[in-house]
Amino acid sequence: MDLNRYPAEPYRIKSVETIRMNTREERERIIRKAGYNTFLIDSEDVYIDLLTDSGTNAMSDRQWAGMMLGDEAYAGSRNWHHLEGTVRELFGFRHVIPTHQGRGAENLLSRIAIQPGQYVPGNMYFTTTRYHQEANGGVFFDIIRDEAHDAQAELPFKGDVDLNKLKGLVDRVGAGQIAYVCVAVTVNLAGGQPVSMGNLREVSRYCRGQGIKVFMDATRCVENAWFIREREEGYADKPIRDIVLEQFSYADGCTMSGKKDCITNIGGFLCLNDESLFQAARELVVVFEGMPSYGGMAGRDMEAMAIGLREAMQEEYIEHRVKQVRYLGDLLQDAGVPIVRPVGGHAVFLDARGFCPHLKQEQLPAQALAAAIYVEGGVRAMERGIVSAGRDKVTGKDHAPKLETVRLTIPRRVYTYRHMDLVADTVTRLFRHREDIRGLKWAYEPRQLRFFTGRFEQL
Ligand code: PLI
């Protein structure tokens, strides 16, 4: 194996959790009982769990040691001061508001920064982000470059904002009708695709000129920084933490799911520079999350998050992280399996349209493919297509995204390269008899974020 292309783990294993493969017959019964929704399968019934990289991370010995230093006071916990100081130092924002996870921060930001009827332009939607924007009267408007919707377009920064789309919207509706611009680094549903520093700079310059605020979805900001260093001129020798800091210098604040790039199992926060927005968020956090010094987290969780965020910026960690994901992508690509190119930071996305050309989008090919992967080899993946996209709030019609994908999401520091071999083997075997995959129809469709708990039947 080429150790530069696929570096060895920069950690050794101190504690293990046993996993077990069940039989195909068992898995056929389990997936039927779960309504063909991988979210509804019990963890014990899964061999390799690639449902999400959210909260599924392995913490370090230092984080676990930090858990023992939890100061569980209701107010003014010392772990809060540690977390607040760490985020200010590493992200560069003036104010930090803790929340129980990322969507808690999205809820607060949407409530304080959106007036009903205002637009919220963003580089592709994310499920919970758009939910909170719309629940507060906002209208999501997609400003990602066109190629992000094309699984095969091989570009270094497929997550970039198309500035002409943003300018076109501002010219049409006026800057006063824009709540703020939301830029995700990286873009989850485009395949974990990064945004270039040049693009962040341009968006910031334009928005500042128009008096429009920019908030970043910082959830995978360290992975984004790694791609900037790998691909953008002038960054090859810059430390990751400097790149992260520069990214945020182009924003007025951010929402963060600590469950990803803080390498923890729970937690999040909202960052703001503006004083009046900060006051508004402080007033609201006590309603939805808890005191402004814990925001729904235990003291020990805040300690683990402060330590984890610093660990995420260690060079060896982030290089191994991104390249392990790439390893799985390369295996699948070499086997001829259609995947979203290039491989992003946290997951390999299978192109379900290419994998199941015999299924139409209304037959829910990605949902069916995720279920079939589980049956084939006990590997749990997630649908990221028409089911996740939900319905248009006004017309009630299904959003029909161009990208119909299944996400194989790699938890941080949890699995080895050999596990990736097994996943690739499972998916490749299924690919050889892909015409056996049957489409699905809804049996129960929840009204909000329907992918989490929806149920299906085979056609
Ligand atoms: O799951 P939360 O509430 O901590 O974070 C919400 C959230 C916000 N932004 C982005 C880009 C996300 O990916 C995200 C959560 N993602 C999940 C759960 C995932 O499986 O991708």
Side-chain angles (χ1 to χ4, degrees):
M1 188 186 272
D2 178 345
L3 286 170
N4 281 323
R5 189 159 174 80
Y6 310 122
E9 284 74 12
Y11 47 82
R12 56 186 176 187
I13 296 162
K14 184 160 1 206
S15 176
V16 298
E17 185 181 357
T18 302
I19 49 177
R20 154 187 171 268
M21 180 74 105
N22 46 14
T23 65
R24 177 180 272 271
E25 290 68 38
E26 284 174 309
R27 292 194 295 276
E28 280 169 351
R29 185 178 46 74
I30 288 163
I31 196 71
R32 224 178 2 252
K33 192 164 154 248
Y36 298 90
N37 185 348
T38 52
F39 277 97
L40 302 180
I41 302 173
D42 281 340
S43 164
E44 285 196 339
D45 295 328
V46 174
Y47 186 46
I48 308 287
D49 201 347
L50 305 188
L51 183 69
T52 177
D53 63 330
S54 181
T56 52
N57 307 302
M59 292 208 294
S60 68
D61 51 356
R62 284 164 195 274
Q63 285 175 292
W64 280 108
M67 296 283 281
M68 296 306 291
L69 301 177
D71 169 359
E72 307 304 344
Y74 192 84
S77 156
R78 77 174 159 265
N79 312 116
W80 159 243
H81 292 300
H82 184 195
L83 176 61
E84 183 189 36
T86 304
V87 174
R88 278 187 179 153
E89 177 195 331
L90 296 177
F91 282 19
F93 294 114
R94 226 167 281 148
H95 301 296
V96 188
I97 302 268
T99 59
H100 74 286
Q101 57 182 78
R103 68 199 72 178
E106 292 171 345
N107 176 36
L108 297 181
L109 179 65
S110 301
R111 283 173 181 268
I112 62 177
I114 300 174
Q115 303 293 330
Q118 280 187 320
Y119 287 86
V120 192
N123 54 343
M124 201 173 270
Y125 86 100
F126 184 71
T127 53
T128 59
T129 319
R130 189 177 63 193
Y131 175 82
H132 284 293
Q133 291 164 356
E134 290 179 346
N136 286 284
V139 181
F140 170 78
F141 187 86
D142 193 8
I143 52 168
I144 204 167
R145 61 189 303 174
D146 286 338
E147 298 92 332
H149 295 279
D150 174 357
Q152 298 312 316
E154 183 94 31
L155 293 167
F157 293 105
K158 245 170 127 173
D160 277 358
V161 167
D162 180 338
L163 217 65
N164 287 328
K165 288 187 188 172
L166 175 59
K167 287 178 182 165
L169 176 70
V170 175
D171 289 347
R172 183 158 63 78
V173 303
Q177 270 303 98
I178 309 293
Y180 55 86
V181 173
C182 177
V183 184
V185 288
T186 56
V187 184
N188 189 350
L189 298 191
Q193 304 296 340
V195 182
S196 66
M197 196 72 90
N199 191 248
L200 294 176
R201 206 177 291 131
E202 273 185 46
V203 170
S204 162
R205 192 183 306 131
Y206 172 73
C207 287
R208 280 180 188 163
Q210 296 285 330
I212 298 169
K213 287 198 165 35
V214 176
F215 290 106
M216 286 184 192
D217 181 336
T219 295
R220 298 181 182 85
C221 60
V222 186
E223 290 166 9
N224 199 79
W226 194 86
F227 285 115
I228 288 175
R229 188 167 67 193
E230 181 185 54
R231 298 174 183 176
E232 196 162 349
E233 215 185 309
Y235 289 92
D237 300 320
K238 285 236 163 82
I240 286 293
R241 54 180 282 171
D242 291 5
I243 302 176
V244 170
L245 204 56
E246 187 185 338
Q247 288 179 149
F248 292 133
S249 71
Y250 302 119
D252 298 282
C254 72
T255 53
M256 178 73 182
S257 169
K259 301 170 74 173
K260 284 79 164 178
D261 270 357
C262 293
I263 328 185
T264 51
N265 305 124
I266 194 69
F269 52 82
L270 169 66
C271 291
L272 297 162
N273 282 335
D274 183 90
E275 293 299 327
S276 61
L277 283 178
F278 170 59
Q279 283 311 330
R282 249 176 92 86
E283 287 171 19
L284 268 190
V285 73
V286 294
V287 178
F288 293 103
E289 308 282 327
M291 280 289 286
S293 61
Y294 76 87
M297 285 179 281
R300 54 181 172 270
D301 295 326
M302 294 191 282
E303 189 63 26
M305 211 155 82
I307 297 168
L309 186 54
R310 220 175 268 285
E311 287 181 359
M313 298 200 195
Q314 286 167 0
E315 309 287 328
E316 301 79 11
Y317 157 76
I318 189 62
E319 176 170 16
H320 170 268
R321 160 70 178 155
V322 176
K323 290 186 173 177
Q324 191 193 39
V325 173
R326 187 172 296 169
Y327 174 74
L328 176 60
D330 289 351
L331 288 178
L332 290 169
Q333 165 107 344
D334 291 349
V337 175
I339 61 171
V340 174
R341 297 293 306 170
V343 175
H346 67 303
V348 177
F349 286 67
L350 303 177
D351 176 6
R353 290 178 191 274
F355 204 112
C356 306
H358 59 291
L359 297 180
K360 297 196 196 79
Q361 196 172 25
E362 57 267 29
Q363 296 171 312
L364 317 180
Q367 189 73 34
L369 175 55
I373 291 169
Y374 172 71
V375 172
E376 186 70 32
V379 175
R380 169 152 69 172
M382 184 194 290
E383 193 265 7
R384 297 272 80 159
I386 190 167
V387 173
S388 295
R391 289 179 183 272
D392 185 287
K393 214 159 158 78
V394 179
T395 66
K397 288 212 175 103
D398 276 332
H399 289 292
K402 280 201 188 136
L403 287 179
E404 179 73 21
T405 66
V406 167
R407 191 181 69 175
L408 299 162
T409 336
I410 319 299
R412 294 167 187 78
R413 303 193 290 211
V414 172
Y415 293 114
T416 64
Y417 284 97
R418 196 68 180 138
H419 288 123
M420 299 300 113
D421 291 341
L422 184 140
V423 172
D425 192 56
T426 300
V427 173
T428 307
R429 252 188 294 123
L430 177 63
F431 187 60
R432 289 199 206 105
H433 64 97
R434 56 192 179 276
E435 60 287 346
D436 296 340
I437 300 171
R438 282 164 63 186
L440 297 171
K441 63 175 185 188
W442 285 96
Y444 158 60
E445 183 188 344
R447 267 167 292 188
Q448 284 99 24
L449 300 174
R450 61 186 185 176
F451 56 95
F452 282 125
T453 54
R455 301 183 69 83
F456 305 87
E457 282 163 10
Q458 276 191 324
L459 290 170

